[in-house]
Amino acid sequence: MTCSADYAPELRSRGYRMTPQRLAILHVLHHSGKHLTPAQVYQKASRELDGLTEPTVYRTLEFLAENGLARPAHMGNGHLAYEIARHKHHHLKCRNCGNEMEVQHSLLEKLYRQLESASGYQLTDSHVTFFGLCPDCQRGE
Amino acid sequence: MTCSADYAPELRSRGYRMTPQRLAILHVLHHSGKHLTPAQVYQKASRELDGLTEPTVYRTLEFLAENGLARPAHMGNGHLAYEIARHKHHHLKCRNCGNEMEVQHSLLEKLYRQLESASGYQLTDSHVTFFGLCPDCQRGE
DNA sequence: CGTGTTATTGCAAAAAGTTGCAATAAGGAG
DNA sequence: CTCCTTATTGCAACTTTTTGCAATAACACG
Ligand SMILES: [Mn+2]
Ligand SMILES: [Mn+2]
Ligand SMILES: [Zn+2]
Ligand SMILES: [Zn+2]
């Protein structure tokens, strides 16, 4: 069950609490590995923790994202999907077929530095989704 | 009334139609200049066109975006806002205070080419929102 | 271990966004 | 100008997401 790292101390040190709900959701994100919509998280986590509710899932996902334990990703339709926070990366997604590939953060490092020095902003998020047409869809469409 | 360029032929050539609803919404986007949420578009466009409904606003905004007349922007909370399509640009938004600044597309041009040649994808969207902390919020937080 | 503080949850209701479908009307053809 | 095809809209129902609030339960402390 400690398969998911021990996030509890992390949270407690900031004045937050670890709860069965948060544990279950972290567990689901941790094991899935990929981006999950709130509905998918709710479905899976409900099996682990009976009585879990949708509002809690939405609030928890937002909470985990704010605290760096989960990462929200824009799906392109105006909705978010979440994944457990791991290494920095970005995505390239096909507008046509939805196919998706990962983009190394190193490719954006230079740009990030440029933006920071040019704007004075400190860039916090490292999980951008770029949209385009995949090789396949460029031909047949 | 022709203040908004004549989009009609553009649409008709693709088999679509120009309607009072689309006109009103284009008009609103054109004159506002900034990003508007669907609710804001509905509110403003309703005044110009009586009887306009929310489903039509949602559908029309999506339609305009698909046809390149409007651009959707991620607001960070998973919701979209729209603006009339003009020059390519991106945004840098403060996670804390919401303050936003524009980013020239030229800054991303190199990255875009890199991504395209590395992935084979053809990048279509040029309206990314980056998130961070503005200079003010870096100090007083 | 109890006890107290208060972060967190579930519930119910509201708000926002989506969908199916029949009625409407844009606009090409004659 | 009238007719016809069918893209588009409004309506109503539905699903998803958000919010307020009272009840619950983490967990720090003694
Ligand atoms: Mn990701
Ligand atoms: Mn913009
Ligand atoms: Zn594709
Ligand atoms: Zn700020």
Side-chain angles (χ1 to χ4, degrees):
Chain A
M1 205 54 69
T2 33
C3 55
S4 46
D6 203 353
Y7 296 116
E10 173 73 19
L11 291 183
R12 279 195 274 264
S13 73
R14 300 189 207 179
Y16 299 119
R17 299 171 184 176
M18 180 51 80
T19 66
Q21 291 82 356
R22 286 175 182 172
L23 227 305
I25 290 171
L26 279 167
H27 194 255
V28 163
L29 292 179
H30 186 96
H31 278 73
S32 152
K34 49 184 185 174
H35 297 171
L36 295 178
T37 65
Q40 292 171 320
V41 171
Y42 172 67
Q43 189 194 6
K44 289 174 186 289
S46 291
R47 286 201 284 268
E48 298 193 15
L49 183 71
D50 199 53
L52 182 67
T53 64
E54 272 143 323
T56 295
V57 170
Y58 282 101
R59 284 190 282 222
T60 299
L61 288 172
E62 198 178 333
F63 168 85
L64 294 176
E66 275 171 356
N67 287 280
L69 305 190
R71 289 222 172 80
H74 293 293
M75 305 301 291
N77 48 31
H79 291 184
L80 295 178
Y82 294 81
E83 71 184 332
I84 198 78
R86 290 197 219 261
H87 67 289
K88 292 182 177 179
H89 67 273
H90 308 274
H91 294 274
L92 188 41
K93 184 172 185 178
C94 180
R95 274 279 183 219
N96 187 242
C97 68
N99 189 33
E100 203 175 315
M101 63 176 287
E102 203 171 302
V103 171
Q104 300 299 314
H105 178 65
S106 59
L107 271 171
L108 302 209
E109 209 124 63
K110 203 172 300 171
L111 170 66
Y112 266 51
R113 274 198 284 272
Q114 273 187 307
L115 289 177
E116 290 191 326
S117 68
S119 66
Y121 275 60
Q122 178 181 16
L123 296 205
T124 53
D125 292 32
S126 301
H127 202 208
V128 177
T129 306
F130 296 95
F131 294 92
L133 281 179
C134 75
D136 289 347
C137 291
Q138 282 174 54
R139 283 188 290 276
E141 204 288 352
Chain B
M1 206 55 68
T2 33
C3 55
S4 48
D6 203 351
Y7 295 116
E10 173 72 20
L11 291 182
R12 280 187 212 121
S13 73
R14 300 189 208 180
Y16 299 120
R17 298 171 184 176
M18 181 50 81
T19 67
Q21 292 83 353
R22 286 174 181 172
L23 228 307
I25 290 172
L26 280 167
H27 193 255
V28 163
L29 292 178
H30 186 97
H31 277 73
S32 152
K34 49 182 185 176
H35 297 170
L36 296 178
T37 64
Q40 292 172 319
V41 171
Y42 172 67
Q43 189 194 7
K44 290 174 186 290
S46 291
R47 285 201 284 269
E48 299 193 13
L49 183 71
D50 200 53
L52 181 67
T53 64
E54 272 143 324
T56 296
V57 170
Y58 283 102
R59 284 189 282 223
T60 299
L61 288 172
E62 198 178 333
F63 168 85
L64 295 176
E66 275 170 357
N67 287 279
L69 305 189
R71 289 220 172 80
H74 294 293
M75 304 302 291
N77 48 31
H79 293 184
L80 295 178
Y82 294 81
E83 71 184 331
I84 198 78
R86 291 197 218 261
H87 67 289
K88 292 182 177 178
H89 67 273
H90 309 273
H91 294 274
L92 188 41
K93 184 171 185 178
C94 181
R95 275 282 182 214
N96 188 242
C97 69
N99 189 33
E100 203 174 315
M101 63 175 288
E102 203 170 304
V103 171
Q104 301 299 314
H105 178 65
S106 59
L107 271 172
L108 302 210
E109 209 124 62
K110 202 172 301 171
L111 170 67
Y112 266 51
R113 274 198 285 272
Q114 271 187 307
L115 289 177
E116 289 191 326
S117 68
S119 67
Y121 274 60
Q122 178 181 16
L123 296 205
T124 53
D125 292 32
S126 300
H127 202 208
V128 176
T129 305
F130 295 95
F131 294 92
L133 280 179
C134 75
D136 287 347
C137 290
Q138 282 174 54
R139 284 187 291 275
E141 202 287 359

